[in-house]
Amino acid sequence: MMNTNFTISNGSRGLRALAMGAVALLAFACAKPAAETGTDSSSSQNQWEQLGGQKLLTFRTGSASQTKADGESATALPENTSFGVYAFYQEGDVDGGVTAHWTDGGWNPAFMFNQQVYYEATGQAGEYTINGGKYSYTPWRYWPANEENTISFWAYYPYGAGSRINAADDNEYTNASTGLPRVQFTADGTTDLMTSDLMEDYVYDTNDGIVPFTFHHRLANVKILAKKEFSGMEAGTDGYDPSTDGNALEGTVKITSIKVNGLAISGIYDPTADSWTVGTGTQTWSAVATGTTVTTDPTQVATYLHIPQTLSDDVTIEIAYTVTYNLPEGDEVTEFTKSFKLNSATATEGGTETAGITAWEQNKQYSYTLTISQIEVMLQLQVDPITEVYYDSDHEDYLIKL
């Protein structure tokens, strides 16, 4: 199994001095202390943690109405999971009544730097918990008291070991960097990378202290399905006579392995441009499905979350399978292999048939169906968008969209 790896990359303006009032800020997960996340441990940073306001900055998530990119239905974020938050304090001119905006440029993420937010479906006890104990982070942060001073937020999911964030110039992304970080990612087939929209220029009154993140899938979901289009031998095959041999000669098709060759498995996602830069190395993805029996109904034999990328002629799928006939003198087992270029598959998207799909795009599901007959194997492709909405049943508004 390949290892999942995030990286976060930069851009550099010095830390801004804060003159913040006492309005508190609470997030919908739990963050690591400053020393662990790379946040500044200076006196100004400590001041951010200790302001004595009564309105905390909060986040909320809820249940999913449809399915996640991996095809599994989801009623909530996975239990005992977490995501990372970057928050950019934007200092305005309080005396002059001039509000700070993200578009002014030059802001750095020292207010929350890769803040880890935990979610537990059943809640937990502890000092740093919110929304009934389901979400927790530490240390707490506080809203600026003056609306001229604003905060912008960006997040990614999941927050995991091995994640790295880097800068636009490939330097290390720090709490003194400016702009949004980039995410370096190596696919392992199962980790569903998502990033949020940029929530610009928030103050407490923007949404009663709640930051309603909207997350989007940044990978392509690739599924391999197989079905057969025959039930047994035709009359005359190897002396088969249906009048004397009866119906015992149904052909049993079993998948022994599936390989996808020539895939790029790593890349860099740039949230500012909403685009991927794909790595140069390629790898073979093996989905061994020994013993998977194929019927006349499509059977899913493999699924994979992958880096969006162009499908060159070198990207191929190879299937190995056996066909077994129950002959009177004993079983007859024949092994077969078949290879296709993925960009040659007849494709249907939005009800329209096209010659083929030459690239995988983020936030789309690609379902390749291998149809095995007695004379050939055909490859067809169905393309669908991945659309989900996370809804908080305790509140009337939609809070997280995936």
Side-chain angles (χ1 to χ4, degrees):
M1 178 67 72
M2 291 170 277
N3 294 323
T4 303
N5 184 33
F6 298 100
T7 305
I8 285 191
S9 340
N10 192 89
S12 152
R13 177 175 181 174
L15 296 175
R16 294 172 171 271
L18 287 187
M20 298 180 60
V23 183
L25 176 99
L26 231 168
F28 64 135
C30 173
K32 291 188 176 181
E36 296 183 54
T37 59
T39 49
D40 186 9
S41 59
S42 67
S43 58
S44 62
Q45 180 74 10
N46 292 334
Q47 181 186 18
W48 302 350
E49 300 168 9
Q50 317 234 350
L51 289 173
Q54 298 183 12
K55 294 180 180 179
L56 295 171
L57 180 147
T58 64
F59 307 96
R60 291 196 210 116
T61 62
S63 60
S65 62
Q66 299 182 37
T67 56
K68 287 173 66 69
D70 58 10
E72 297 296 324
S73 61
T75 57
L77 289 176
E79 188 172 0
N80 300 321
T81 192
S82 60
F83 51 92
V85 176
Y86 289 79
F88 302 76
Y89 175 77
Q90 299 161 177
E91 184 180 4
D93 182 353
V94 176
D95 294 336
V98 179
T99 300
H101 298 283
W102 172 262
T103 53
D104 296 340
W107 311 113
N108 57 61
F111 188 80
M112 282 185 173
F113 185 87
N114 204 16
Q115 181 85 35
Q116 187 173 8
V117 179
Y118 294 99
Y119 169 76
E120 294 188 16
T122 56
Q124 66 175 6
E127 180 181 0
Y128 297 106
T129 60
I130 54 177
N131 291 341
K134 290 185 178 181
Y135 304 99
S136 58
Y137 75 98
T138 183
W140 286 353
R141 295 291 189 260
Y142 298 86
W143 288 103
N146 302 301
E147 293 197 356
E148 290 82 4
N149 299 327
T150 61
I151 305 174
S152 292
F153 299 86
W154 179 84
Y156 71 97
Y157 170 92
Y159 186 107
S163 72
R164 300 196 323 268
I165 303 291
N166 60 34
D169 57 4
D170 290 328
N171 289 322
E172 180 184 2
Y173 189 79
T174 70
N175 59 6
S177 300
T178 58
L180 295 180
R182 302 184 306 165
V183 181
Q184 292 186 5
F185 185 81
T186 299
D188 65 1
T190 59
T191 301
D192 190 4
L193 175 66
M194 295 184 284
T195 66
S196 77
D197 289 335
L198 175 65
M199 311 306 290
E200 296 183 33
D201 307 338
Y202 265 62
V203 295
Y204 178 84
D205 288 340
T206 302
N207 196 36
D208 294 329
I210 299 169
V211 179
F213 278 129
T214 299
F215 284 90
H216 302 278
H217 297 288
R218 299 309 179 193
L219 302 180
N221 181 25
V222 181
K223 293 185 175 183
I224 310 296
L225 302 95
K227 66 177 182 177
K228 67 175 185 177
E229 283 193 342
F230 67 97
S231 59
M233 288 186 176
E234 297 178 349
T237 303
D238 292 336
Y240 167 56
D241 184 350
S243 64
T244 58
D245 294 329
N247 298 320
L249 301 180
E250 180 176 353
T252 301
V253 178
K254 290 187 176 182
I255 305 295
T256 57
S257 72
I258 290 178
K259 295 180 181 179
V260 181
N261 305 302
L263 290 177
I265 62 167
S266 64
I268 300 175
Y269 175 71
D270 184 345
T272 302
D274 188 22
S275 64
W276 281 88
T277 301
V278 179
T280 56
T282 62
Q283 191 164 335
T284 296
W285 165 47
S286 297
V288 178
T290 302
T292 300
T293 301
V294 178
T295 68
T296 54
D297 295 322
T299 300
Q300 181 174 303
V301 294
T303 184
Y304 194 64
L305 294 169
H306 216 285
I307 301 291
Q309 60 191 276
T310 299
L311 301 176
S312 69
D313 288 344
D314 294 329
V315 181
T316 61
I317 181 171
E318 180 181 306
I319 178 175
Y321 63 98
T322 62
V323 178
T324 301
Y325 293 109
N326 304 119
L327 298 172
E329 62 272 22
D331 290 349
E332 177 182 290
V333 181
T334 306
E335 298 180 351
F336 298 89
T337 59
K338 182 69 175 178
S339 180
F340 296 92
K341 297 175 182 178
L342 281 187
N343 60 19
S344 69
T346 300
T348 302
E349 182 172 9
T352 301
E353 187 171 299
T354 63
I357 296 295
T358 58
W360 290 339
E361 299 177 17
Q362 63 180 359
N363 203 39
K364 286 189 176 182
Q365 178 174 286
Y366 298 87
S367 300
Y368 292 89
T369 300
L370 294 154
T371 302
I372 302 170
S373 72
Q374 288 175 306
I375 58 174
E376 66 177 347
V377 180
M378 296 178 292
L379 180 66
Q380 295 173 302
L381 170 62
Q382 175 70 38
V383 183
D384 299 293
I386 303 171
T387 56
E388 298 132 19
V389 176
Y390 271 66
Y391 180 68
D392 186 340
S393 58
D394 296 328
H395 301 82
E396 296 181 355
D397 54 335
Y398 284 86
L399 297 169
I400 297 283
K401 244 184 224 181
L402 299 178

